[in-house]
Amino acid sequence: MRFRTLVLRVMLVAAAAVVALLAFGLLTRYPQPLIAEFHAPLFAWAFTLGLWAAVLAFETAAVLAWRLLDSVAAAQAFSVAAVRGLARLKWAVGGISAGLALTLPQIYQVADAADAPGLMLIGLAVVALPLMVATFLAVLGRLWTMALTYKQAAGRAAA
């Protein structure tokens, strides 16, 4: 179990590092090129702020996932703190989706200018993916809550 936790932690750090590098490498250049190209400053700023919000939510989710891995490593996965952490993780993933949703008006402008309706579908899919993960985390949180309830009931029955 320790090796799997270590692998998950390495993957988590790698993902957080890649997102941070992309954010500081690419997002520092926006929104000026978008304003110059499409002459819609509101959409360009929404795009930029949405991506920054998604990056911050992702980094928050990475920290929360690290804490959940700490709970698993300490054999405290079915504890009140772990269930709360999972709920916070769900909201962080929802924040990723909300941030990405702010990019959709600019993506629509790009898709319209390039006459590429598939680009808008790709943008919608990118927004939908974190929503699916958040839904899965909500179901998992409900299962963990039920398992915690059964664990507490079994502890009371044994006492």
Side-chain angles (χ1 to χ4, degrees):
M1 188 62 129
R2 287 189 97 134
F3 178 72
R4 289 181 186 172
T5 305
L6 178 65
V7 169
L8 289 172
R9 287 180 195 264
V10 168
M11 292 172 58
L12 194 59
V13 168
V18 167
V19 168
L21 286 174
L22 285 174
F24 289 109
L26 295 176
L27 295 182
T28 55
R29 297 188 173 121
Y30 289 106
Q32 288 80 17
L34 294 174
I35 294 170
E37 179 74 26
F38 297 102
H39 308 291
L42 180 65
F43 293 161
W45 277 104
F47 178 83
T48 304
L49 293 175
L51 285 179
W52 277 109
V55 166
L56 290 174
F58 183 87
E59 297 299 336
T60 301
V63 170
L64 293 170
W66 186 277
R67 289 180 184 166
L68 278 176
L69 286 174
D70 285 342
S71 295
V72 170
Q76 296 295 319
F78 296 108
S79 65
V80 174
V83 171
R84 281 192 204 124
L86 188 62
R88 288 184 184 121
L89 181 61
K90 173 188 69 173
W91 285 106
V93 172
I96 295 170
S97 186
L100 292 174
L102 288 174
T103 67
L104 289 177
Q106 184 65 50
I107 291 173
Y108 174 76
Q109 276 203 325
V110 172
D112 190 40
D115 195 28
L119 186 59
M120 191 64 201
L121 290 175
I122 291 170
L124 289 170
V126 167
V127 172
L129 284 173
L131 280 178
M132 291 298 296
V133 172
T135 303
F136 172 74
L137 288 172
V139 171
L140 184 61
R142 186 72 180 134
L143 289 172
W144 272 9
T145 301
M146 293 302 296
L148 182 60
T149 303
Y150 291 144
K151 179 182 169 185
Q152 290 172 344
R156 282 190 296 258

